[in-house]
Amino acid sequence: MSVKIITAREAVDLIDSDAVVATGGFVGLGVPEEIEMVLEEKFLAEQMPRNLTLVYAAGQGDGKDKGLNHFAHSGLVKRVIGGHWGLAPKLGNLAIANEIEAYNLPQGVISHMFRDIAAKKPGTITHIGLKTFIDPRLEGGKINPRTTEDIVELVEFDGAEYLRYRHFSPDIALLRGSYADESGNISFEDEAVTLESLSIAQATRNSGGKVIVQVKGIVQNGSLDPRFVKIPGIYVDAVVVASSLKYHMQSFGVDYNASFSGSKRAVLNGASEEALSERKIIGRRAAMALRPNVAVNLGIGVPEVIAVVANEEGIGSDMVLTVEAGPIGGVPANGLSFGASANPYVVLDQPYQFDFYDGGGLDLAFLGLAQCDRKGNINVSKFGPKVAGCGGFINITQTSKQVIYCGSFTARGLKVEAADGQLRIVEEGSVKKFIDQVEQITFSGDYANDIAQDVMYITERAVFKLTREGLELIEIAPGIDLEKDILQQMEFQPLISADLKLMDARIFRHEKMGLAEV
């Protein structure tokens, strides 16, 4: 058996109009960039293929032109089902303009859908998404008015509610690996993550579709270590060898980092000390929640500072960091390499990572705080006309044993000063983040109360906890005026604990807190 080796142009010629196209990737990890770039070039020159349905789990792009942005042309796609939209703003613009049908579903659910499609299961049934904007009683994951078909439905088993996500049949899989042998077996030894590549290939093959994989080169049969082969040649219809490694970067951030793929271990000197900004203040208060041997997920943005603080304080080993893309252990990368980890202990396929998450395996999750309302609902997915998408946020926040939201109290222009155990607001942010009702429910306070989840909200000046009656203020920073600096900067009146405490004064001093000594 020999694999069919074709050019990127010959690969896109295999894609018919009206096809359902499934793509693999996470930010820039695992993205078959050259194939997608050539698909865009063909469409612009010939206006073919047309009316594709694009399906993907994790966001793929650089926030500008790469990855899924290549699909962002009216007429090229008619429907998009995706987990995260923020890295492909050109696609998001089509959805906002109501030019395409557009759905946003949880990243982990879509990764599981590919696996379930491969096994011909009658839909993907899960609790993930209940009482969020995914729930058909709210928005059903629909992004715009043009999107009318219900692909999520409410079902009940043994008296409990679940969501059933309806399946599709992939006609084309666009994937990426490291090398292919002469029989089409695809290895991943230079990749930072394996994602749901195997599941997409199986789903497409079992649906009668074509599996196309971009690689760096072809090697002789028998030369690949079978432990690195993630896609068997019996699933693969064609292989494209990248014409240049600039179209086959390990991530959109680096050409290649050996510590991401595990072939070398990087010397990690620890993070340098960060200035005592509101980000570090929040990170310090959040780090106080760390316990030995906890499995943790850190979101992007302010939660990333928690790792910095933990390393400075000498308690970084108290937590095992996980990334939804599959790494467990090591130090998660950020920016355009997000999804990878330096020196990981292990890298799971993404669907298996989400199995662990969905079943409650995470002890602690630190996520960003964009908008919060009186019921404790959080919105990180939609702001006015901007569609960011939920990504893995819903999977993580609905299932972690403890969830801690981390973010500044106000936004846009906030300036603070911390010294001698006190906090002072130098300039207040012009945008309130604690509002009466969030624009979209990405995290449901009601659902969290239903499952008795431990939820906290940490800002630089106040700490809240979720109760059945709503948000309760439990801590206030030293130097902060309750009425002027907190209550007047909120659109609703929170509950105020009868035992309202001051935040630990060590948080607001420039020297280390001494958390390792506690």
Side-chain angles (χ1 to χ4, degrees):
M1 178 181 176
S2 61
V3 68
K4 187 175 182 181
I5 303 170
I6 61 177
T7 65
R9 173 56 198 244
E10 290 170 330
V12 301
D13 285 343
L14 296 174
I15 304 174
D16 296 328
S17 293
D18 300 306
V20 176
V21 178
T23 67
F26 191 111
V27 188
L29 306 169
V31 175
E33 175 67 11
E34 183 164 356
I35 297 174
E36 295 177 0
M37 179 183 70
V38 172
L39 174 61
E40 179 181 35
E41 291 173 353
K42 176 182 176 180
F43 178 78
L44 292 176
E46 304 175 15
Q47 294 295 295
M48 294 291 287
R50 299 186 63 81
N51 299 324
L52 302 180
T53 293
L54 173 64
V55 188
Y56 62 91
Q60 300 157 36
D62 61 348
K64 299 175 183 176
D65 304 308
K66 293 183 178 180
L68 299 179
N69 291 289
H70 293 303
F71 287 85
H73 297 282
S74 184
L76 174 56
V77 292
K78 68 175 181 181
R79 171 181 284 198
V80 177
I81 302 171
H84 193 273
W85 288 70
L87 293 163
K90 292 183 178 181
L91 266 185
N93 289 339
L94 289 181
I96 292 164
N98 210 35
E99 293 185 33
I100 59 173
E101 298 174 30
Y103 298 87
N104 181 205
L105 304 182
Q107 178 178 323
V109 171
I110 298 177
S111 74
H112 287 155
M113 288 172 75
F114 288 122
R115 197 171 62 185
D116 292 345
I117 290 167
K120 302 288 187 183
K121 293 183 179 178
T124 296
I125 300 171
T126 175
H127 58 290
I128 300 298
L130 284 168
K131 297 191 176 181
T132 72
F133 77 95
I134 305 297
D135 195 312
R137 292 169 293 190
L138 296 178
E139 301 172 49
K142 303 182 186 78
I143 289 178
N144 59 20
R146 182 168 182 157
T147 308
T148 58
E149 182 182 352
D150 293 323
I151 64 173
V152 185
E153 63 178 327
L154 186 69
V155 295
E156 187 175 305
F157 294 97
D158 299 326
E161 294 180 338
Y162 297 89
L163 297 180
R164 174 180 175 264
Y165 294 79
R166 295 181 181 175
H167 287 166
F168 49 87
S169 296
D171 299 302
I172 296 287
L174 299 180
L175 303 170
R176 192 187 90 185
S178 298
Y179 296 95
D181 68 13
E182 297 163 295
S183 295
N185 297 300
I186 308 296
S187 68
F188 278 64
E189 64 262 44
D190 291 339
E191 306 303 313
V193 288
T194 55
L195 302 173
E196 61 280 350
S197 302
L198 173 62
S199 297
I200 292 176
Q202 289 180 329
T204 305
R205 183 70 172 180
N206 287 354
S207 297
K210 294 182 174 65
V211 177
I212 304 167
V213 186
Q214 178 181 310
V215 298
K216 292 195 287 189
I218 306 294
V219 299
Q220 187 178 29
N221 277 343
S223 62
L224 293 177
D225 186 329
R227 291 169 298 181
F228 289 128
V229 173
K230 294 299 297 184
I231 304 177
I234 57 173
Y235 302 166
V236 178
D237 292 278
V239 168
V240 174
V241 178
S243 63
S244 169
L245 290 183
K246 70 180 180 180
Y247 304 129
H248 204 95
M249 297 169 65
Q250 189 184 44
S251 77
F252 288 150
V254 297
D255 291 333
Y256 180 70
N257 183 328
S259 73
F260 290 170
S261 62
S263 61
K264 296 287 189 298
R265 290 191 64 80
V267 177
L268 303 174
N269 295 319
S272 60
E273 292 193 11
E274 181 168 308
L276 194 53
S277 63
E278 71 271 12
R279 287 167 54 90
K280 186 169 183 178
I281 290 168
I282 297 164
R284 280 180 156 186
R285 177 60 186 85
M288 293 173 69
L290 290 173
R291 308 177 303 278
N293 304 313
V294 291
V296 176
N297 178 279
L298 289 180
I300 57 175
V302 174
E304 294 175 314
V305 183
I306 298 165
V308 175
V309 170
N311 287 335
E312 287 179 6
E313 296 287 338
I315 60 170
S317 59
D318 282 2
M319 58 182 175
V320 177
L321 298 176
T322 71
V323 183
E324 52 266 38
I328 295 176
V331 179
N334 54 24
L336 293 179
S337 293
F338 179 63
S341 286
N343 302 346
Y345 306 156
V346 64
V347 177
L348 302 178
D349 284 1
Q350 185 167 231
Y352 291 104
Q353 187 77 295
F354 277 110
D355 284 336
F356 178 69
Y357 287 1
D358 290 359
L362 276 175
D363 297 301
L364 184 54
F366 297 99
L367 284 304
L369 193 165
Q371 284 182 348
C372 179
D373 67 21
R374 63 173 64 247
K375 298 181 72 174
N377 299 323
I378 293 285
N379 170 36
V380 298
S381 49
K382 187 178 186 296
F383 307 95
K386 182 180 178 182
V387 180
C390 58
F393 187 93
I394 296 176
N395 297 84
I396 295 164
T397 59
Q398 283 198 315
T399 57
S400 180
K401 295 178 180 68
Q402 183 179 22
V403 180
I404 298 179
Y405 291 104
C406 305
S408 61
F409 198 81
T410 60
R412 201 173 299 164
L414 174 66
K415 294 180 182 178
V416 302
E417 185 178 90
D420 301 323
Q422 300 274 313
L423 180 68
R424 184 171 69 91
I425 309 301
V426 177
E427 186 175 332
E428 190 61 81
S430 61
V431 176
K432 292 180 179 178
K433 296 172 70 172
F434 288 85
I435 59 178
D436 191 60
Q437 185 173 346
V438 295
E439 292 181 61
Q440 188 170 71
I441 299 176
T442 331
F443 170 82
S444 167
D446 284 344
Y447 184 84
N449 278 318
D450 289 345
I451 63 172
Q453 192 174 32
D454 184 355
V455 184
M456 291 177 63
Y457 309 77
I458 296 176
T459 76
E460 79 287 347
R461 70 186 79 172
V463 179
F464 300 87
K465 72 175 182 181
L466 180 65
T467 73
R468 289 201 171 273
E469 290 73 39
L471 249 60
E472 180 181 0
L473 178 65
I474 59 173
E475 294 179 24
I476 182 172
I480 290 297
D481 182 273
L482 174 62
E483 182 64 34
K484 176 174 72 73
D485 296 325
I486 295 180
L487 300 182
Q488 289 183 16
Q489 304 305 321
M490 304 176 70
E491 290 187 359
F492 62 90
Q493 175 77 29
L495 301 171
I496 299 177
S497 173
D499 187 28
L500 182 64
K501 291 180 169 61
L502 288 177
M503 295 171 69
D504 193 319
R506 294 176 299 168
I507 296 170
F508 307 96
R509 295 191 175 109
H510 288 277
E511 61 268 24
K512 292 180 182 178
M513 295 177 65
L515 293 181
E517 302 163 11
V518 177

